Amino acid sequence: MLLANRTHPFTVNFYIHDRIIPIDCAPQAPAQGWLLTGNEEIEEFKKAYPQYAPTLVYDSRHRSCDDKKFLKLYRFEKRVGAFCKTPAK
């Protein structure tokens, strides 16, 4: 399980009407989606969710006002042949 600060997406989530949820809280494992990370957190995501292939879409080179990390946006997709189990609650 990936440990994360659950308040991390608060600011961006406020502006898009609470559409961001932690991946391990999804009703079922998504086949694809978007991931907003700070600094090198993508490495933790890759270890926790090896069934997904993340691709960097945008590097803001801008620090978050919440935790001062440089924000990066990734698109992720389930790897071909990977089994996506429903996340544990």
Side-chain angles (χ1 to χ4, degrees), residues 32-85:
Q32 61 187 8
W34 297 90
L35 180 65
L36 184 63
T37 70
N39 295 348
E40 301 304 319
E41 292 171 334
I42 192 64
E43 296 307 320
E44 294 175 44
F45 177 83
K46 289 177 182 178
K47 287 178 187 172
Y49 301 99
Q51 69 270 32
Y52 293 114
T55 303
L56 180 63
V57 174
Y58 178 69
D59 182 348
S60 72
R61 297 189 176 124
H62 180 77
R63 288 186 188 269
S64 162
C65 61
D66 295 326
D67 61 12
K68 309 301 184 220
K69 294 179 181 178
F70 288 95
L71 297 176
K72 296 179 181 179
L73 179 66
Y74 290 84
R75 174 135 175 92
F76 67 85
E77 293 183 355
K78 185 176 83 165
R79 295 180 189 278
V80 175
F83 175 71
C84 281
K85 63 182 180 181

Side-chain angles (χ1 to χ4, degrees), residues 18-39:
D18 293 324
R19 293 185 299 186
I20 295 176
I21 61 170
I23 194 169
D24 59 330
C25 293
Q28 64 183 28
Q32 61 187 8
W34 297 90
L35 180 65
L36 184 63
T37 70
N39 295 348

